[in-house]
Amino acid sequence: MSVLTSKEPAEIQALSPQTVRADFPALDRIFADQQRLVYLDNAATTQKPRAVLEATRRYYEESAGNVHRAVHRLAAEATELYEAARQRIAKFIGAPSTRSMVFTHGATEGFNLVAYGWARKFLKAGDEILVTEMEHHSNFVPWQRAAQERGAVVRIAPILEDGTLDRVAFARLLTPRVKLVAVTHASNVLGTVNPVAELIAAAHAIGALALVDAAQSAPHLPLDVRALDADFLAFSGHKMLGPTGIGVLYARETLLEAMDPFLTGGEMISKVFDDHATWADIPQKFEAGTPHIAGAIGLGAAVDYLERLGRERVRQHEQQLTAYALERLGDLPGLRIFGRAPERVGVISFALDGVHPHDVAQFCDQTGVAIRAGHLCAQPLMHRLDVPALSRASLYLYNATDDVDRLVEALQAAQRFFHAT
Amino acid sequence: MSVLTSKEPAEIQALSPQTVRADFPALDRIFADQQRLVYLDNAATTQKPRAVLEATRRYYEESAGNVHRAVHRLAAEATELYEAARQRIAKFIGAPSTRSMVFTHGATEGFNLVAYGWARKFLKAGDEILVTEMEHHSNFVPWQRAAQERGAVVRIAPILEDGTLDRVAFARLLTPRVKLVAVTHASNVLGTVNPVAELIAAAHAIGALALVDAAQSAPHLPLDVRALDADFLAFSGHKMLGPTGIGVLYARETLLEAMDPFLTGGEMISKVFDDHATWADIPQKFEAGTPHIAGAIGLGAAVDYLERLGRERVRQHEQQLTAYALERLGDLPGLRIFGRAPERVGVISFALDGVHPHDVAQFCDQTGVAIRAGHLCAQPLMHRLDVPALSRASLYLYNATDDVDRLVEALQAAQRFFHAT
Amino acid sequence: MQLDDLYQEVILDHYRHPRHFAALRDDETLVDEENPLCGDHIRMAAKLAGERLTDLRVQCTGCAICTASASMMAEAVSDQPVSAVRSKIETFLAILRGEQPPQADDLGDLVALRGVAEFPMRVKCATMPWHALSAVLQRLSVAK
Amino acid sequence: MQLDDLYQEVILDHYRHPRHFAALRDDETLVDEENPLCGDHIRMAAKLAGERLTDLRVQCTGCAICTASASMMAEAVSDQPVSAVRSKIETFLAILRGEQPPQADDLGDLVALRGVAEFPMRVKCATMPWHALSAVLQRLSVAK
Ligand SMILES: Cc1ncc(COP(=O)(O)O)c(C=O)c1O
Ligand SMILES: Cc1ncc(COP(=O)(O)O)c(C=O)c1O
């Protein structure tokens, strides 16, 4: 991996973070102490470009009707905007049709939808679900619960020292009892990008289905569900420049058709009788009630924004910046980085000797640098790494080397502050 | 009920719809034909005041962190705003504490949460759930499905000719087999306001729990869950001036504690082990994943706005306007109103002789008047009323007599247009 | 978008005086379809005489667009060879999808429904009779 | 909100040199609590001598706030009558809730933790040892 130092900024500026930053009103924030906000908690949630805020504002101020139900203009406009967003997001992830695109309120709801609508219907006693040690709770606890209910078992493929998946162990665990492989595309702790296309092919080879947690990949990597051959894939809008409360579950049409509905109520029915009901076509079958219309429209605008910047350029910028950050952080004595996968995203978790992660994050915050600390919604992984908690800095397209420099300064100051006697 | 005619506008103007309208940018919309938008589809979704748009904009532009997880300022501000919204909404509905307030993405998810977390856990074969003939699909289909799974039965209390609940039949159906009474506070078709406090007392008297669908009452009526003694109550933000994708489920703390979690993942866990997990305290136990932070904050602002206007004044304004609308529509030959309950909200469904509801709505729309047509998510009620569909005009606080006049003109023109030979 | 684009005079005329409409007995009904969203309900009966579609009768309760579309359709396809009927169905559906098929001119009065494409919420109203007609052809060819 | 409000010198001192801390055997541990969110972990042992709390020992891995709070607490309540301990717990928790109880001045060094109330995300770090101490009193009074 080539590493750029601060002396070679030309390549890193290819995306021009300065220009990009100007699109994000939140990044203008200056704290009382004259420090510019350095936002490095992007794996938790991202800032929003003006284009996204504008798109949702326009819906509310001009076309705030409900969707699918009424013939008046506001409702027609709302429906058009909502369905156009579905179409653009489908294109963004290479989905063959909008029929396979279910709007959810986030990645978490996507996994639960599959756990309720697919796993509880099709899993049998003795069946297995194979996950990895680096899963986020949202791609773990739903399977635990579904498995418990069905008498099935969740198996956990371990990771290696460098934070990559143990492929040998994975292959060993992938027996014909496995009916679903649920694996994250990119880890929100280690930054590891998993070879999901290969893992999916292996799953299919033994007749299992494969689900991809794309919460940390959709914002950062070019993504093509057909190239991956994924059966299910879910992500959240708020982690990719979009509004809160919206996400997407992609699933093969045949699977959506075979699955039971999950939430029931308006929109998702065809006919309702006193003693039974029939379901609408997919994807409406899985969208009960009034959807988050403004959220879908905002996510559509976010996806447009990402495509306008160019996803390859975004990826390149983040890779260079990540390399820079790894080098600078690696130089700090007493700092230990968790996760050294060669294929990775800009999520960097670390421990600072003798300073608790919460104190690290608190101290950074006081210098205007926002990072995260805690179990990072991955307690099984914390047990594996044998740490109570970690600090995490996570990068996005509007970050640049000066942000990393500010982080490094803050960490050095924290060491001085807490270690002084 | 006293009826005001257009010659006595003084009382009706008490709320000053002119001033109120100025708070709603969407109502400034002028269509190509110079017609001002007359928005009468408020039972589907409402327009948003500037205060709500401002509150969500501020979150996104200043404090767009994730909640509950990080120590940095953006996250702390986001958490504070989010929890303050929960507190204000709790106060708005008289909830004894925020622990009983679960943010959902709408009324529909609220009912499903109870259907999954309570009904599937506690219902036994032979148990019954009692609903009414005027329920929205969202307060009907989830019970149908939960009952099917548990071998329980859904009973439907009929309505009378005037669109009120048949109290005699209800009392007859309320046997000790009933474990849950699920009833709408206000009908989204008939406008009927049900005597929920009495129905809840009756349910409690035989040991059943009571759930209230407040989707059409929270926006319009003063509401107090303690006075009602409701066990569960759910509503949607987008129908009460708030953003899309957010809603609230109120439930008694002891019930939330006894219930199984519904969606699982981040935020809602306490500890996660390889083979099991434990749950966070209520209400977080029911809020898996990143919540719709901007939505909650926006709903908090909507509730503030409603309280600033004064809920009694809103109610009075709407009652007077409804009376005016009923009188004017009642005068139209060939127009039949469905629902004549003395206690009602401003939802008026009707049929126009010889003109299909969709054509009525389409014609109105071309004159700038937005009304709804269809089965109104209440197919069992449509069967009961023996109509394939209805047209519906629904009023809100920004409507005034001139809006009703425009509707009446449009309906008269529609009659002329479609009946001419 | 003008209302007149949608409810053209010829459409209103078919709505008020639908052609080929009749009350159908259950035993002659080939297709029975309903749009639960708006309650439109359509039933059809027809026969094959060699390669021709004959005796097409429609029973329809629906909005003006649905009713007029059914009536104009019945007029346009009655006593036509099945192949011509199929191509009319395709042409019509393409127009309502907003496409511009080459043979659009053989639709006669039906071009009046072109305006419906501008009203996405109403497209289903206009196309429903045609989907039902497709199903009728299917039933007849299986029965043969 | 200044960082110094949070990490005052006296807090840092207790963090670096915690008082009454010891490695505890399982059989003497009365309370074992964990905050799964940040991994803070606290164990406590103590005895009753008549109405006095004695021999309080704490084992704690946590952030500076949690550690300092535990250390200052141990110093403040050791060898105190149980009733005084209870009132200190109440006073302290009230301060951290942002309230201003009348007896705040008998807290000594602990007032340094007052600044934590300004950092809502950290309040739990400071209060956790005190909730654990509450549980210790509970255990001791049941055992009595
Ligand atoms: C009475 C009633 N209940 C429930 C709902 C469902 O609300 P939502 O679609 O926002 O979940 C509605 C609105 O459609 C309603 O009118
Ligand atoms: C890898 C991963 N999966 C899933 C999620 C859950 O996303 P959400 O909380 O938006 O549902 C997250 C984010 O917290 C994540 O990082």
Side-chain angles (χ1 to χ4, degrees):
Chain A
M1 203 191 299
S2 90
V3 171
L4 294 172
T5 70
S6 52
K7 276 159 250 142
E8 303 165 332
E11 274 281 291
I12 294 181
Q13 303 303 322
L15 189 67
S16 178
Q18 261 51 42
T19 320
V20 171
R21 267 181 204 164
D23 294 336
F24 291 78
L27 298 179
D28 292 343
R29 183 158 173 185
I30 305 288
F31 291 123
D33 40 15
Q34 299 306 311
Q35 296 276 31
R36 172 180 69 80
L37 165 66
V38 171
Y39 188 74
L40 296 176
D41 193 16
N42 293 290
T45 199
T46 64
Q47 302 305 316
K48 323 298 173 195
R50 242 176 278 278
V52 167
L53 303 177
E54 236 339 87
T56 59
R57 190 198 58 75
R58 248 193 335 266
Y59 162 72
Y60 282 128
E61 293 194 359
E62 292 174 18
S63 310
N66 208 328
V67 295
H68 298 153
R69 297 183 185 175
V71 300
H72 61 74
R73 275 175 276 191
L74 266 55
E77 289 166 4
T79 306
E80 239 174 277
L81 289 167
Y82 181 71
E83 292 302 330
R86 196 197 300 274
Q87 210 146 32
R88 295 206 304 280
I89 303 164
K91 196 162 142 275
F92 183 79
I93 62 165
S97 93
T98 52
R99 286 168 45 83
S100 53
M101 299 286 296
V102 179
F103 278 122
T104 63
H105 52 170
T108 301
E109 195 194 5
F111 305 136
N112 279 276
L113 197 165
V114 178
Y116 277 102
W118 180 84
R120 276 172 179 72
K121 181 166 184 182
F122 293 110
L123 278 193
K124 294 190 186 54
D127 284 349
E128 296 184 359
I129 296 176
L130 179 56
V131 302
T132 82
E133 220 166 30
M134 65 178 100
E135 298 311 321
H136 187 275
H137 291 156
S138 63
N139 192 27
F140 183 66
V141 185
W143 312 125
Q144 232 178 28
R145 297 237 310 156
Q148 265 160 19
E149 266 187 43
R150 308 296 306 158
V153 180
V154 176
R155 299 276 177 212
I156 306 172
I159 57 167
L160 300 172
E161 273 307 304
D162 66 352
T164 60
L165 182 64
D166 182 340
R167 298 290 296 272
V168 177
F170 181 88
R172 189 166 27 77
L173 289 165
L174 190 63
T175 68
R177 283 188 302 277
V178 173
K179 294 296 175 292
L180 177 71
V181 171
V183 59
T184 194
H185 195 175
S187 160
N188 70 312
V189 177
L190 305 164
T192 308
V193 173
N194 280 313
V196 279
E198 292 169 37
L199 303 180
I200 292 170
H204 288 168
I206 58 119
L209 297 176
L211 175 143
V212 176
D213 175 355
Q216 296 295 345
S217 62
H220 304 288
L221 313 177
L223 193 64
D224 187 314
V225 291
R226 266 186 300 193
L228 294 179
D229 204 19
D231 299 296
F232 301 104
L233 181 143
F235 54 91
S236 294
H238 70 95
K239 291 186 201 284
M240 51 191 291
L241 312 179
T244 58
I246 190 77
V248 167
L249 171 70
Y250 160 82
R252 250 183 238 292
E253 290 184 29
T254 48
L255 288 168
L256 287 180
E257 276 160 355
M259 281 158 66
D260 279 338
F262 171 41
L263 302 177
T264 57
E267 304 271 335
M268 59 70 67
I269 53 88
S270 171
K271 295 191 192 182
V272 177
F273 303 96
D274 285 1
D275 58 348
H276 74 288
T278 62
W279 316 129
D281 262 0
I282 61 167
Q284 274 72 36
K285 174 180 163 189
F286 294 98
E287 294 182 1
T290 302
H292 184 8
I293 305 167
I297 293 168
L299 182 51
V303 150
D304 286 351
Y305 182 86
L306 283 168
E307 289 193 328
R308 221 155 42 233
L309 285 191
R311 292 161 85 186
E312 285 296 351
R313 271 171 83 216
V314 167
R315 174 70 176 144
Q316 195 200 330
H317 168 73
E318 290 182 24
Q319 274 184 311
Q320 292 173 338
L321 189 60
T322 304
Y324 177 75
L326 286 171
E327 180 172 280
R328 295 262 0 234
L329 292 172
D331 284 346
L332 284 184
L335 186 142
R336 200 154 45 109
I337 292 173
F338 291 77
R340 287 294 196 171
E343 271 295 309
R344 65 176 300 145
V345 291
V347 170
I348 305 175
S349 295
F350 57 91
L352 207 58
D353 270 1
V355 191
H356 189 280
H358 269 190
D359 294 319
V360 172
Q362 188 83 58
F363 191 95
C364 286
D365 180 57
Q366 292 294 325
T367 73
V369 178
I371 65 168
R372 172 97 186 274
H375 58 56
L376 309 178
C377 291
Q379 290 183 17
L381 180 57
M382 296 295 122
H383 299 154
R384 162 71 175 79
L385 300 175
D386 197 23
V387 292
L390 287 174
S391 301
R392 179 184 73 188
S394 48
L395 310 166
Y396 207 13
L397 42 81
Y398 36 66
N399 292 124
T401 50
D402 56 347
D403 295 329
V404 174
D405 296 339
R406 284 272 303 277
L407 170 65
V408 169
E409 283 160 30
L411 294 175
Q412 286 169 324
Q415 285 181 313
R416 287 192 299 273
F417 184 79
F418 287 100
H419 285 175
T421 28
Chain B
M1 206 191 300
S2 91
V3 172
L4 293 171
T5 70
S6 52
K7 275 160 248 138
E8 303 164 332
E11 273 282 291
I12 295 180
Q13 302 302 321
L15 190 67
S16 178
Q18 261 52 41
T19 320
V20 172
R21 267 180 203 164
D23 294 335
F24 291 79
L27 297 177
D28 291 343
R29 183 157 172 184
I30 305 289
F31 291 123
D33 40 16
Q34 299 306 311
Q35 296 275 32
R36 172 180 69 80
L37 164 66
V38 172
Y39 188 74
L40 298 175
D41 193 15
N42 294 290
T45 199
T46 63
Q47 303 304 316
K48 322 299 172 197
R50 241 176 279 275
V52 167
L53 303 177
E54 236 341 86
T56 60
R57 189 196 60 71
R58 249 192 336 265
Y59 162 72
Y60 282 128
E61 295 195 358
E62 293 174 18
S63 312
N66 208 327
V67 294
H68 298 153
R69 295 183 187 176
V71 299
H72 61 72
R73 275 176 276 195
L74 266 55
E77 288 166 5
T79 306
E80 238 175 276
L81 290 166
Y82 181 71
E83 292 302 330
R86 195 197 303 272
Q87 209 146 34
R88 295 207 302 280
I89 303 164
K91 195 163 143 274
F92 183 78
I93 62 166
S97 93
T98 52
R99 286 168 44 85
S100 53
M101 300 285 296
V102 179
F103 279 121
T104 63
H105 52 171
T108 300
E109 195 196 6
F111 305 136
N112 278 275
L113 197 166
V114 179
Y116 278 101
W118 179 83
R120 276 171 178 74
K121 180 167 184 183
F122 293 110
L123 278 194
K124 296 192 183 53
D127 284 349
E128 297 185 0
I129 296 175
L130 180 57
V131 303
T132 82
E133 220 166 32
M134 65 178 101
E135 298 311 320
H136 187 276
H137 291 156
S138 62
N139 192 26
F140 183 65
V141 185
W143 313 125
Q144 232 179 27
R145 296 238 309 156
Q148 266 160 19
E149 266 187 41
R150 307 295 307 161
V153 180
V154 175
R155 301 275 176 211
I156 306 173
I159 58 167
L160 299 172
E161 272 308 304
D162 65 353
T164 59
L165 182 64
D166 182 339
R167 297 289 295 273
V168 176
F170 181 88
R172 191 165 25 77
L173 290 164
L174 190 62
T175 68
R177 282 189 303 276
V178 173
K179 295 294 176 290
L180 178 72
V181 171
V183 59
T184 193
H185 196 174
S187 160
N188 70 312
V189 177
L190 306 163
T192 308
V193 173
N194 280 313
V196 280
E198 292 170 36
L199 303 179
I200 291 170
H204 288 168
I206 58 118
L209 296 176
L211 174 144
V212 176
D213 175 355
Q216 297 294 345
S217 62
H220 305 288
L221 312 177
L223 193 64
D224 187 314
V225 290
R226 266 185 301 192
L228 293 179
D229 204 18
D231 299 296
F232 302 105
L233 181 143
F235 53 91
S236 295
H238 70 95
K239 292 185 199 286
M240 51 190 291
L241 312 179
T244 58
I246 190 77
V248 167
L249 171 69
Y250 160 83
R252 248 182 241 291
E253 291 183 29
T254 48
L255 289 168
L256 288 180
E257 276 160 355
M259 283 161 64
D260 280 339
F262 172 40
L263 302 177
T264 57
E267 305 271 335
M268 58 71 66
I269 52 86
S270 172
K271 296 192 192 180
V272 177
F273 303 96
D274 285 1
D275 58 348
H276 75 288
T278 61
W279 316 130
D281 261 0
I282 61 168
Q284 274 73 36
K285 174 179 163 189
F286 295 98
E287 294 183 1
T290 303
H292 183 9
I293 306 167
I297 293 168
L299 182 52
V303 151
D304 286 349
Y305 181 87
L306 283 168
E307 289 193 328
R308 221 155 41 235
L309 285 190
R311 292 161 86 186
E312 284 296 351
R313 272 170 83 215
V314 166
R315 174 69 177 146
Q316 194 200 332
H317 169 72
E318 290 183 26
Q319 274 184 312
Q320 293 173 338
L321 189 59
T322 304
Y324 177 75
L326 286 170
E327 180 172 281
R328 295 259 7 227
L329 292 171
D331 283 347
L332 284 184
L335 185 143
R336 201 154 42 111
I337 291 172
F338 291 76
R340 286 295 195 168
E343 270 296 307
R344 64 175 301 145
V345 291
V347 170
I348 305 174
S349 295
F350 57 90
L352 207 58
D353 269 1
V355 191
H356 189 279
H358 269 191
D359 294 319
V360 173
Q362 188 84 59
F363 192 94
C364 287
D365 179 58
Q366 292 294 324
T367 73
V369 178
I371 64 169
R372 170 97 188 275
H375 57 56
L376 309 178
C377 291
Q379 289 182 18
L381 180 57
M382 296 295 125
H383 299 153
R384 161 70 175 82
L385 300 174
D386 197 23
V387 291
L390 287 174
S391 301
R392 179 185 72 189
S394 49
L395 310 167
Y396 207 13
L397 42 82
Y398 37 65
N399 292 125
T401 51
D402 55 348
D403 294 330
V404 174
D405 296 340
R406 284 271 302 278
L407 169 65
V408 170
E409 283 161 31
L411 294 175
Q412 286 169 326
Q415 284 181 314
R416 287 192 300 272
F417 184 80
F418 287 100
H419 285 173
T421 28
Chain C
M1 293 197 297
Q2 280 295 313
L3 197 60
D4 294 353
D5 294 348
L6 188 64
Y7 298 113
Q8 295 186 28
E9 197 45 56
V10 54
I11 292 177
L12 287 174
D13 181 56
H14 276 268
Y15 169 55
R16 293 183 195 121
H17 314 288
R19 331 309 195 231
H20 298 269
F21 273 38
L24 300 184
R25 294 190 319 272
D26 283 356
D27 64 352
E28 63 183 350
T29 299
L30 292 172
V31 158
D32 186 326
E33 296 205 348
E34 207 175 329
N35 177 354
L37 198 65
C38 54
D40 288 350
H41 188 181
I42 202 161
R43 288 152 59 105
M44 286 187 195
K47 301 211 176 83
L48 272 190
E51 278 304 311
R52 284 189 177 274
L53 183 73
T54 61
D55 199 20
L56 176 65
R57 282 158 305 141
V58 178
Q59 179 181 329
C60 173
T61 49
C63 65
I65 303 298
C66 179
T67 306
S69 181
S71 168
M72 291 157 88
M73 176 188 83
E75 210 165 44
V77 304
S78 274
D79 297 310
Q80 297 278 316
V82 167
S83 60
V85 175
R86 279 195 213 286
S87 110
K88 283 206 162 103
I89 294 175
E90 264 171 46
T91 307
F92 183 81
L93 293 180
I95 291 178
L96 271 277
R97 277 193 304 267
E99 299 160 17
Q100 201 65 271
Q103 338 83 302
D105 47 338
D106 75 345
L107 279 182
D109 278 2
L110 280 166
V111 293
L113 285 168
R114 183 174 282 174
V116 177
E118 303 284 300
F119 296 81
M121 315 302 284
R122 307 303 298 280
V123 166
K124 259 197 182 164
C125 308
T127 56
M128 185 176 154
W130 297 78
H131 289 298
L133 180 61
S134 249
V136 164
L137 294 183
Q138 183 80 13
R139 290 289 303 273
L140 287 172
S141 74
V142 169
K144 208 166 60 172
Chain D
M1 292 196 297
Q2 280 296 315
L3 196 58
D4 295 351
D5 294 349
L6 187 62
Y7 297 113
Q8 296 186 27
E9 197 46 57
V10 54
I11 292 177
L12 288 173
D13 180 56
H14 276 269
Y15 170 54
R16 292 182 196 123
H17 313 288
R19 333 304 199 236
H20 298 269
F21 273 37
L24 299 184
R25 295 191 319 274
D26 284 355
D27 63 353
E28 62 184 350
T29 299
L30 291 172
V31 157
D32 186 326
E33 296 207 347
E34 208 177 329
N35 178 354
L37 198 65
C38 54
D40 287 349
H41 187 180
I42 202 161
R43 288 152 61 104
M44 286 187 195
K47 300 208 176 85
L48 271 190
E51 279 303 313
R52 284 190 177 274
L53 184 72
T54 62
D55 199 21
L56 177 65
R57 282 160 303 142
V58 178
Q59 178 180 330
C60 172
T61 49
C63 63
I65 303 300
C66 180
T67 305
S69 181
S71 167
M72 292 158 88
M73 176 187 83
E75 212 166 43
V77 303
S78 277
D79 298 310
Q80 297 280 313
V82 166
S83 59
V85 176
R86 279 196 213 286
S87 111
K88 283 208 162 106
I89 294 175
E90 262 169 48
T91 307
F92 183 81
L93 294 179
I95 290 178
L96 271 277
R97 277 194 304 267
E99 299 161 19
Q100 202 65 274
Q103 338 83 302
D105 46 340
D106 74 347
L107 280 182
D109 277 5
L110 280 164
V111 294
L113 284 168
R114 185 175 281 173
V116 177
E118 302 284 297
F119 297 79
M121 314 303 285
R122 305 305 297 281
V123 166
K124 260 197 184 167
C125 308
T127 56
M128 188 179 153
W130 297 78
H131 289 300
L133 180 61
S134 247
V136 164
L137 295 183
Q138 183 79 16
R139 291 289 302 274
L140 288 172
S141 75
V142 169
K144 208 169 54 169

